[in-house]
Amino acid sequence: MSTHGLETLTSAALLGTARTEPDFAALHTQDAAAAIVAPPEHRLLGAAALERAFVAAGSVPVTRPLPEPAADDDRPLLPPAAGERLRALLTVRSDLIGEWLDAAQGFRAPHGIVVDLLGRASALDEELRDKLLVLLGPRGRWLAQQNPRWSDLVAPDTDDPSVWQHGAAAARRRWFRALRAQDPAAATELLAASWSTETAANRQNLLTELAAGLGAYDEDLLDTALDDRSRKVRNVALDLLRRLPESAFGRRMTGRVRAWARVHDGAVEFTIPDVLDAEAMRDGLDDPLPRAAEAARADRAYPVEEARDRARVWALAASAPLSAWLASGMRIGDVLDLEVSEHLRDVLRHGRETAVDHQRDSAWAAALLPREDRAGLRVAEHAPRDVLVEHLRRMSARQLLLVDDIAALPAPWPADIARKVLTVLYTAAAPTSHSFRALTDLLARRAPFELVDLFDDAATRTDDLVRLNRFATAADILKLRRTLHEELS
């Protein structure tokens, strides 16, 4: 591209505008330069800037219409101290950012920090980024739309199908996720239409997105996915179908519970077919036992037939609606009281725990908690809060050190539970153990704020430097959490 115009402007600048009039005729941008109304020296500099921009970009600067202004945001303004606290947390990438953003719901960010927060948003994970964008509100979304650097922060326009039709895999998945949030059934219909043309990786990733907003409208596609060539795709489909107990898949599993298990003399007896039919294999009943279920009895090797039955009983328990076990008017407690063959007991329990997690069944979770030495996070987090609290109050120090059950209790913990955990840390936990570190971290993030002084006191009552440091750190985190909540109040 010719730079002759710039050379003429350079010559004019060297001679000076008092001695010569710059000639814009050789410029690519002569019309725009001629329209500049200013003193001669300013016209020369403006014309040079226009021509240089054209040479670099290959297009003449044009006037663009101003975008529509951002919508009003009538939420109360974030207190200044809280805004500075957020910027500090983002600077050090604190793990308290999520708690701060949850506590700040209902506020809007001051205009003066919106650009700074948009610049920091890309470094956050998707969940935190979405929460931050809520805080930034309409003005933040408006600004993000104006700057290509922030395009990933703006929800895709689902009215424009070009991304879905021609975009890269990551962009298509993001667009599909946005459509799923707006209209789950429409998203499933769209994926079903393109299913046969998608790669295995795309089928797996897009099918995973159905977990959000999962419903009966997904059933046909998930059932189709059970026949997929890719095991990973089939596994995703199975995982999602297990969350739909009212589906045809759930009804098939209920039928197998009735056919494979019967109650007799206070025990549940299983009759597992030696050879499964094609439909049972398609429904995952011949899949290997998951490692998590194997780990419970890794100290023992089972004969081939018993190992096969263990895998099938686990799959049945994990996949069947929990209501399928309540035959003849039995209650949950009655079912759990039944005797089970020793080699099937642990996999049946593990499978039911998996079903509780998938089906989010609080009644079964509440029934399982007191019956298991270690019910685990998957069960405990679905139990009603009052049931979980009473369960934790009954637990021994040894059981609390397993951490999983106490980790299911969200903040704020009751004061007596926090004191109990602190006592366990003093009396039963080695300061270098994983349990000690995990429990002190949980205490710092979930204990009620009124126990700050108790934490400070705990740090002064030990001569063990590791224990002292952990308690002092927990006290500092608890104080910081108290402060950030006060700043938002």
Side-chain angles (χ1 to χ4, degrees), residues 136-150:
L136 297 177
R139 187 178 181 88
R141 292 191 294 273
W142 184 91
L143 277 173
Q145 289 169 346
Q146 315 310 315
N147 192 331
R149 290 185 304 160
W150 298 329

Side-chain angles (χ1 to χ4, degrees), residues 88-168:
L89 294 175
L90 289 169
T91 297
V92 299
R93 299 192 179 184
S94 169
D95 57 3
L96 295 179
I97 294 172
E99 181 176 353
W100 188 98
L101 290 170
D102 287 338
Q105 289 184 4
F107 288 101
R108 65 177 173 88
H111 298 329
I113 67 171
V114 169
V115 171
D116 182 33
L117 295 180
L118 281 171
R120 298 168 184 256
S122 297
L124 302 176
D125 64 37
E126 185 176 344
E127 181 180 0
L128 292 179
R129 188 167 64 239
D130 289 345
K131 290 180 179 180
L132 181 58
L133 290 175
V134 171
L135 176 73
L136 297 177
R139 187 178 181 88
R141 292 191 294 273
W142 184 91
L143 277 173
Q145 289 169 346
Q146 315 310 315
N147 192 331
R149 290 185 304 160
W150 298 329
S151 60
D152 287 347
L153 304 179
V154 182
D157 180 7
T158 55
D159 290 331
D160 177 10
S162 61
V163 176
W164 174 255
Q165 294 166 352
H166 309 297

Side-chain angles (χ1 to χ4, degrees), residues 62-77:
V62 295
T63 301
R64 299 290 186 187
L66 290 174
E68 291 294 323
D72 292 334
D73 190 344
D74 58 1
R75 294 177 299 171
L77 198 63

Side-chain angles (χ1 to χ4, degrees), residues 16 84 95 167 172 212-213 215:
E84 290 304 312
D95 57 3
R172 293 179 73 239

Side-chain angles (χ1 to χ4, degrees), residues 42-378:
H42 291 173
R43 292 185 68 212
L44 175 61
L45 291 174
L50 287 168
E51 185 71 3
R52 184 69 186 87
F54 174 82
V55 171
S59 63
V60 178
V62 295
T63 301
R64 299 290 186 187
L66 290 174
E68 291 294 323
D72 292 334
D73 190 344
D74 58 1
R75 294 177 299 171
L77 198 63
L78 194 67
E84 290 304 312
R85 178 71 61 192
L86 174 60
R87 295 169 79 175
L89 294 175
L90 289 169
T91 297
V92 299
R93 299 192 179 184
S94 169
D95 57 3
L96 295 179
I97 294 172
E99 181 176 353
W100 188 98
L101 290 170
D102 287 338
Q105 289 184 4
F107 288 101
R108 65 177 173 88
H111 298 329
I113 67 171
V114 169
V115 171
D116 182 33
L117 295 180
L118 281 171
R120 298 168 184 256
S122 297
L124 302 176
D125 64 37
E126 185 176 344
E127 181 180 0
L128 292 179
R129 188 167 64 239
D130 289 345
K131 290 180 179 180
L132 181 58
L133 290 175
V134 171
L135 176 73
L136 297 177
R139 187 178 181 88
R141 292 191 294 273
W142 184 91
L143 277 173
Q145 289 169 346
Q146 315 310 315
N147 192 331
R149 290 185 304 160
W150 298 329
S151 60
D152 287 347
L153 304 179
V154 182
D157 180 7
T158 55
D159 290 331
D160 177 10
S162 61
V163 176
W164 174 255
Q165 294 166 352
H166 309 297
R172 293 179 73 239
R173 184 174 183 180
R174 189 164 171 266
W175 187 93
F176 182 80
R177 184 182 303 137
L179 179 62
R180 181 72 176 179
Q182 294 174 8
D183 190 339
T188 301
E189 184 178 352
L190 189 68
L191 179 56
S194 69
W195 186 255
S196 61
T197 64
E198 302 288 349
T199 65
N202 283 349
R203 293 196 301 274
Q204 178 190 352
N205 291 332
L206 293 170
L207 202 65
T208 301
E209 297 295 335
L210 301 190
L214 188 68
Y217 38 77
D218 300 313
E219 192 178 331
D220 289 345
L221 179 57
L222 293 174
D223 198 68
T224 297
L226 291 179
D227 294 316
D228 201 89
R229 297 185 303 274
S230 168
R231 174 176 285 277
K232 292 181 178 179
V233 173
R234 297 197 302 273
N235 286 344
V236 173
L238 276 173
D239 181 78
L240 295 177
L241 283 168
R242 286 168 178 155
R243 307 180 191 200
L244 295 173
E246 303 299 324
S247 64
F249 175 85
R251 292 191 292 274
R252 293 197 297 270
M253 287 298 176
T254 296
R256 292 176 183 122
V257 170
R258 302 280 190 263
W260 292 12
R262 73 182 187 100
V263 176
H264 180 69
D265 287 343
V268 56
E269 299 175 351
F270 285 93
T271 305
I272 313 298
D274 293 334
V275 179
L276 298 182
D277 58 38
E279 186 178 58
M281 296 179 69
R282 179 176 178 271
D283 285 344
L285 288 169
D286 202 36
D287 288 354
L289 188 66
R291 290 182 180 179
E294 287 179 340
R297 298 298 301 269
D299 58 326
R300 175 175 174 181
Y302 289 92
V304 173
E305 293 80 6
E306 288 189 1
R308 178 202 64 197
D309 288 351
R310 282 169 55 81
R312 293 176 181 177
V313 166
W314 179 90
L316 181 66
S319 303
L322 288 161
S323 59
W325 302 97
L326 303 177
S328 304
M330 297 179 70
R331 296 174 300 177
I332 297 173
D334 299 331
V335 173
L336 296 178
D337 285 336
L338 295 172
E339 291 293 326
V340 184
S341 298
E342 192 274 337
H343 72 289
L344 298 177
R345 190 177 304 133
D346 61 310
V347 291
L348 178 61
R349 172 187 56 79
H350 193 280
R352 283 174 173 164
E353 290 173 0
T354 302
V356 167
D357 189 28
H358 281 81
Q359 298 172 36
R360 301 179 180 274
D361 194 305
S362 60
W364 274 81
L368 281 169
L369 266 184
R371 295 171 179 270
E372 304 292 347
D373 183 51
R374 186 177 184 178
L377 185 64
R378 296 178 308 157

